[in-house]
Amino acid sequence: MGTSRKTSLRIEESGKRVRAYLGGHLVADSTHPSLVWEIPYYPTYYFPEADVRAELVEDGPGTRSPSRGDATAHTVKVDGAQAPGAALRYTELPGLVRLDWDAMDAWFEEDEEVFVHPRDPYTRVDVLAASRHVRVEVDGVTVAESSGPRLLFETGLPVRYYLPKPHVRMDLLEHTDTTTHCPYKGSAEYWSIRVNGTLHEDLAWSYRTPLDESRKVAGLVCFYNEKLDIFVDGVLQERPKTKF
């Protein structure tokens, strides 16, 4: 791990081959991209200028960053496709180009497509079978109870308790249109919970077809520790404080 010379910005070179596409055309392809932690939760890929295959047309000044310096914005053009302002160059990161993740159509780490954001090399996901007795309450009503949960441990987040659907009061759950995406777990569907005449929105979720590292939670239901009461072996757990 390292830092840029003039700032305390966290930055390091990745050993993965990373590619970005726009309109089906290759924009960048690098075997030594840099990982830059613009925020604490996950990094962003920056490409060496020599590994950017698309034309970059300067748009003008971009937003200044205290750690990365002044930015110059560029439109990305490749074989008729373009993404205005999707490339940034920063004065404190000379020779590197930042491509906006959402402006690109697809990203690959080696030959595997990656979604949402780059995987943090320091984030680990472990899913363990357990015999802990887990009970979930909403407003004093038990909505799930199981002695066969799967516990998911993810770096920087509280332990999550995934329970089999037969152990969940699915009659109290109402499926919603909400979906979220995680680069470590995949795409999740959500349920709200109605108890005592009150609807509590998007308190539970499940991954039908999780990614490989999280496949053990496929089809199981999890609940936000932060927003309801969970008892483990009869002990009420403290509600954690997280970005959720």
Side-chain angles (χ1 to χ4, degrees):
M1 186 182 303
T3 58
S4 61
R5 289 181 300 224
K6 298 180 181 180
T7 74
S8 59
L9 183 66
R10 181 182 173 190
I11 179 173
E12 67 182 75
E13 188 173 297
S14 172
K16 298 175 181 176
R17 180 190 182 190
V18 176
R19 286 169 288 174
Y21 288 83
L22 176 65
H25 304 290
L26 185 64
V27 171
D29 183 354
S30 181
T31 56
H32 50 279
S34 291
L35 287 166
V36 179
W37 275 261
E38 300 173 340
I39 59 175
Y41 310 118
Y42 54 83
T44 297
Y45 279 123
Y46 281 63
F47 291 93
E49 290 179 346
D51 293 337
V52 177
R53 309 293 177 83
E55 179 185 4
L56 302 182
V57 180
E58 185 171 333
D59 296 331
T63 304
R64 175 176 172 77
S65 163
S67 60
R68 288 164 282 159
D70 293 317
T72 303
H74 301 260
T75 291
V76 176
K77 293 186 175 182
V78 56
D79 292 328
Q82 66 178 27
L88 293 174
R89 288 187 172 107
Y90 286 94
T91 54
E92 296 299 324
L93 296 173
L96 295 178
V97 176
R98 180 195 192 276
L99 295 177
D100 182 77
W101 186 277
D102 293 331
M104 299 296 104
D105 294 338
W107 290 79
F108 286 82
E109 293 177 348
E110 297 298 336
D111 289 342
E112 295 190 6
E113 190 168 3
V114 184
F115 304 93
V116 187
H117 60 72
R119 293 170 175 151
D120 188 328
Y122 300 101
T123 293
R124 179 184 174 98
V125 175
D126 290 304
V127 181
L128 302 177
S131 56
R132 312 283 292 274
H133 183 270
V134 176
R135 183 163 58 86
V136 180
E137 280 191 5
V138 177
D139 285 351
V141 176
T142 296
V143 298
E145 188 169 8
S146 179
S147 293
R150 292 284 173 91
L151 275 54
L152 188 146
F153 300 88
E154 182 175 345
T155 305
L157 291 175
V159 59
R160 299 298 191 189
Y161 302 94
Y162 282 79
L163 310 183
K165 283 183 179 177
H167 301 171
V168 178
R169 287 282 309 275
M170 297 301 295
D171 59 306
L172 300 178
L173 273 59
E174 299 182 12
H175 197 268
T176 75
D177 293 330
T178 301
T179 58
T180 59
H181 308 278
C182 171
Y184 314 105
K185 298 187 289 292
S187 298
E189 59 180 332
Y190 280 75
W191 289 268
S192 296
I193 301 175
R194 188 181 297 276
V195 294
N196 299 326
T198 300
L199 184 67
H200 303 266
E201 295 185 356
D202 291 334
L203 286 189
W205 70 89
S206 180
Y207 294 92
R208 291 188 182 186
T209 55
L211 300 176
D212 284 348
E213 55 261 56
S214 302
R215 64 185 181 276
K216 291 181 181 178
V217 300
L220 305 183
V221 179
C222 191
F223 300 85
Y224 273 117
N225 313 41
E226 299 91 332
K227 302 176 182 180
L228 43 68
D229 293 325
I230 294 182
F231 296 80
V232 178
D233 293 333
V235 179
L236 176 62
Q237 304 299 292
E238 183 177 350
R239 293 189 181 186
K241 297 185 184 301
T242 72
K243 60 183 179 181
F244 300 105

